[in-house]
Structure formats: structure tokens, C-alpha cells
């Protein structure tokens, strides 16, 4: 769920784009469904984002 | 901007109880308004419902990204909710949604 200030269209789009890109990966989705704790979920998201930023950076 | 920088741990909900789309939006709005200063539960729910009227934010593969613009917010707030049994959310592929981002 994403809530943005009324006059911030670009922040909204960036967040939506970032999240939906990560969620294209079915393995990542399965990990999110199976994770037990908040810490585990937060860690998975951070890790996936780090991996995807490295891929984007190398292109 | 990184999602992990704007998603605080107290806005990660591991076990949502909602069984319908309406209940889901109510539950997440309630939890968010309890944790974020200046975030009004009723206004948030109204804005989310308005957005859903344009078409479900259920993007398929068990994922939905409900979102809203709200007056009076200082910055972006991101929450993550998970439903183990899944919630019907009028998704494009007709699948139940487990992950609400």
C-alpha cells in the first residue's frame, strides 16, 4: 500500500515501478509468502532490491 | 528511491485477517493510521476505494498495489501486508491476492 502527498506524482510512480519490478520474480514472491517474521520479510525486500540495483547498474 | 528505505518494519503486516477486498482495505488503512502521524483512516480508505473504482490494483500473480494520494501528507508512506489464505481482489488473472504492496 502506497500513500503519497497530493502533489507528488513522480514519487508515486517511482515507488509503484520499483515494487512491481521486484514482484515480477516468482521466486521472490514465494519467499515473501513463506517468510515467518517481519525481520525476515524486511530482509528479503532489502536483499532483492540490492540485487536488482546491481543488475540495473551493470546494464 | 529504495522501497526498503521508505518501508518501516512497523508497517509490515505478516498475517492480515481480511477475507474480502473491502475488509482488506479497511484493515490496512486502520493499521497504517495507527502508526503514521497525521494519516486519517477514513480519508485514506476513501482515497483507496476511489482508486479501485478506476480498476483493481490487483496486478495478478497474487499481488496487489493499492495506492492513494492524500492531502496533508509530508512524505511517501509504504506498507506491506500479507494474507496467508489470500483475498479475492478482482485481479486481472482472477487469482486470490496474498501480497499487498
Amino acid at each position: 500500500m502506497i500513500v503519497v502527498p497530493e502533489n507528488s506524482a513522480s514519487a508515486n510512480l517511482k515507488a509503484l515501478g520499483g515494487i512491481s519490478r521486484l514482484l515480477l520474480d516468482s521466486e521472490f514472491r514465494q519467499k515473501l509468502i513463506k517468510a515467518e517474521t517481519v525481520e525476515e520479510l524486511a530482509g528479503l525486500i532489502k536483499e532483492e532490491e540490492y540485487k536488482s540495483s546491481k543488475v540495473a547498474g551493470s546494464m | 528511491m529504495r522501497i526498503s528505505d521508505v518501508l518501516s518494519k512497523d508497517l509490515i503486516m505478516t498475517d492480515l485477517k481480511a477475507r474480502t477486498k473491502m475488509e482488506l482495505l479497511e484493515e490496512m488503512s486502520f493499521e497504517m493510521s495507527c502508526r503514521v502521524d497525521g494519516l486519517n483512516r477514513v480519508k485514506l480508505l476513501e482515497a483507496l476505494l476511489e482508486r479501485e473504482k478506476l480498476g483493481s490494483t490487483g496486478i495478478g500473480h497474487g499481488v496487489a498495489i493499492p495506492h492513494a494520494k492524500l492531502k496533508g501528507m509530508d512524505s511517501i508512506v509504504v506498507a506491506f501486508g500479507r494474507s496467508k489464505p489470500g483475498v479475492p481482489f478482482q485481479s486481472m488473472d482472477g487469482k486470490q491476492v496474498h501480497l499487498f504492496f
Side-chain angles (χ1 to χ4, degrees):
Chain A
M1 189 168 276
I2 303 170
V3 187
V4 294
E6 198 171 44
N7 51 3
S8 65
S10 67
N12 197 357
L13 289 176
K14 276 181 196 163
L16 285 173
I19 289 170
S20 51
R21 238 189 337 274
L22 294 182
L23 293 167
L24 288 175
D25 181 345
S26 66
E27 200 178 316
F28 177 54
R29 293 196 302 269
Q30 287 310 311
K31 284 182 189 168
L32 291 178
I33 288 171
K34 287 178 187 156
E36 301 280 343
T37 63
V38 168
E39 280 69 26
E40 212 177 314
L41 283 164
L44 282 169
I45 294 162
K46 203 167 190 171
E47 187 189 320
E48 192 72 14
E49 212 162 27
Y50 177 68
K51 278 198 289 186
S52 77
S53 72
K54 278 212 304 193
V55 171
S58 69
M59 289 195 325
Chain B
M1 182 193 59
R2 290 187 183 208
I3 305 308
S4 41
D5 295 335
V6 289
L7 174 66
S8 71
K9 282 183 187 170
D10 63 350
L11 289 175
I12 296 179
M13 308 160 201
T14 58
D15 200 6
L16 294 166
K17 302 286 178 269
R19 289 291 181 269
T20 66
K21 182 173 185 174
M22 187 64 181
E23 284 177 11
L24 184 284
L25 295 172
E26 284 174 345
E27 184 175 1
M28 286 192 79
S29 302
F30 174 74
E31 297 294 336
M32 283 179 87
S33 64
C34 292
R35 289 167 177 74
V36 179
D37 283 342
L39 186 54
N40 179 280
R41 181 182 65 83
V42 176
K43 284 185 182 155
L44 173 57
L45 182 59
E46 279 173 4
L48 291 167
L49 288 170
E50 274 302 308
R51 172 59 191 84
E52 295 298 326
K53 275 189 204 166
L54 302 175
S56 177
T57 59
I59 58 174
H61 303 288
V63 176
I65 311 181
H67 53 278
K69 284 185 187 181
L70 272 191
K71 278 183 194 166
M73 299 284 297
D74 294 328
S75 60
I76 185 166
V77 179
V78 178
F80 171 66
R82 185 179 63 177
S83 164
K84 286 181 179 166
V87 177
F89 212 75
Q90 300 164 316
S91 292
M92 288 178 246
D93 61 3
K95 287 186 182 168
Q96 305 248 87
V97 175
H98 296 273
L99 304 172
F100 294 90
F101 234 127

